[in-house]
Amino acid sequence: MKYVTERLYFAAMFLRTKILLIAIIFSALIVDASTHKKTKKTPSIPLLEAGAFGFVAHVPDYPASSEGRLRFLALPAIIYRGKILRSDRQKGTRLKLFQNENIQLDLSASASFPSASEENKIRKNMPPLDWLIELGPRIVLPLKESWLGWYGEFRLPLRGAISLHLKRHSYRGFRLAPNFFAWKKLSTYQLKIFLKISFNFIDRKYAAFFYQVDTPYITEKRNFYSAKPGYLGNQFAVLAQKKMNQVNFFGGIEFQSYKNARKVGFKNINID
């Protein structure tokens, strides 16, 4: 007997190579238009930068999905280096609540693309997955010393999730995602390298958003399933940033392992 989870996991592991290659080929970029006039005497970093952000990559329909889409996103890009509110390329957008040499507490956010269930074989005829916006506190513990030019920090974000649509919105539980983030600057090549490894723990409501199968959606190949909380999986990412004049190019690869998804979703759904 085969389970959907097995197919989800193994297919995702093999397809991930293609997903990452596409992300590397297309990359993403930010065009910065600095609002600060730099001079030879004052090469300070500007408070505000504005520009445009473009993103193209192949993204799974949901965590552990064997199916995905080529996603396009173009948005205005704002980099703001305020004392309390900050938005930059390295740590994203966050609201500083407390900071000293040893610890930082802030509010941070993340988002996930929506997914039309009719385009996914496993979720066909189930409710669509709306935009998922996550917001919550994050503890940051920076490493005091560098190692071979590498700097790093431990991050512990706990974010509540809300799904959004034009006509509806719902609370979808929370996700705890401890991670380690490291970076190194190669000045000779105007290049920055970033490494990140993260682990994901979710509650039942969060798991239900992706994996719950209620009675109306039972089919011959899809049994009833009540989602469970627990450890979902982990990710490892390698990213690079290359600056050319006023344009920043980004590219990278991300390896995702959702072997433990069988414990929180699609545990007993027959695919055959």
Side-chain angles (χ1 to χ4, degrees):
M1 181 179 294
K2 296 181 180 179
Y3 297 108
V4 169
T5 302
E6 294 175 348
R7 180 165 294 188
L8 284 171
Y9 173 59
F10 289 111
M13 292 298 290
F14 285 106
L15 288 175
R16 180 56 53 186
T17 303
K18 297 180 182 179
I19 292 169
L20 302 177
L21 287 176
I22 292 174
I24 292 172
I25 292 171
F26 287 100
S27 179
L29 60 87
I30 293 180
V31 182
D32 294 328
S34 176
T35 59
H36 179 86
K37 293 183 179 180
K38 298 180 182 179
T39 65
K40 293 183 179 179
K41 295 183 179 179
T42 60
S44 57
I45 299 176
L47 175 66
L48 175 67
E49 295 181 71
F53 171 80
F55 171 86
V56 181
H58 194 280
V59 181
D61 288 341
Y62 53 88
S65 176
S66 60
E67 298 179 68
R69 321 285 137 202
L70 193 61
R71 303 287 190 173
F72 304 85
L73 189 64
L75 295 170
I78 302 295
I79 296 177
Y80 183 72
R81 302 180 177 90
K83 292 183 178 180
I84 298 178
L85 177 63
R86 294 183 71 91
S87 178
D88 54 40
R89 290 181 287 268
Q90 183 167 306
K91 296 184 180 181
T93 301
R94 71 269 187 203
L95 184 67
K96 287 187 176 181
L97 302 177
F98 173 80
Q99 182 178 12
N100 61 26
E101 295 181 354
N102 302 314
I103 190 172
Q104 175 181 315
L105 176 63
D106 59 32
L107 287 176
S108 62
S110 65
S112 301
F113 285 101
S115 176
S117 296
E118 294 305 313
E119 298 177 356
N120 187 284
K121 294 179 181 178
I122 294 175
R123 290 188 57 85
K124 189 173 182 179
N125 296 325
M126 291 182 66
L129 299 175
D130 297 329
W131 283 96
L132 192 67
I133 309 298
E134 300 181 28
L135 176 68
R138 177 178 63 177
I139 296 174
V140 180
L141 303 172
L143 299 182
K144 294 183 178 181
E145 298 182 3
S146 64
W147 181 73
L148 298 178
W150 285 92
Y151 296 86
E153 58 190 26
F154 293 97
R155 301 173 178 177
L156 185 63
L158 176 62
R159 296 175 178 143
I162 298 176
S163 61
L164 295 177
H165 188 267
L166 293 176
K167 298 182 180 179
R168 59 179 179 270
H169 65 277
S170 299
Y171 172 67
R172 299 298 182 177
F174 68 86
R175 178 169 66 100
L176 176 67
N179 62 84
F180 176 72
F181 185 79
W183 65 93
K184 182 176 183 178
K185 186 176 182 180
L186 304 176
S187 301
T188 305
Y189 306 100
Q190 291 190 318
L191 186 70
K192 276 188 177 181
I193 305 296
F194 304 94
L195 302 177
K196 183 180 180 180
I197 182 170
S198 57
F199 305 87
N200 296 280
F201 300 85
I202 59 179
D203 72 346
R204 185 190 176 282
K205 286 185 70 69
Y206 196 103
F209 177 66
F210 294 112
Y211 307 120
Q212 180 82 16
V213 179
D214 292 321
T215 303
Y217 308 111
I218 295 176
T219 67
E220 293 181 357
K221 298 181 179 180
R222 190 168 57 211
N223 295 342
F224 172 83
Y225 182 69
S226 179
K228 304 292 191 302
Y231 175 57
L232 179 61
N234 57 276
Q235 297 122 339
F236 175 71
V238 181
L239 305 172
Q241 173 194 342
K242 172 68 175 180
K243 186 171 184 178
M244 299 177 64
N245 297 323
Q246 292 300 312
V247 180
N248 285 280
F249 294 90
F250 290 84
I253 59 176
E254 183 178 78
F255 300 93
Q256 300 182 349
S257 174
Y258 289 112
K259 186 175 182 178
N260 281 349
R262 67 188 312 145
K263 298 179 181 178
V264 295
F266 290 127
K267 185 176 180 181
N268 66 341
I269 306 171
N270 301 333
I271 189 108
D272 293 332

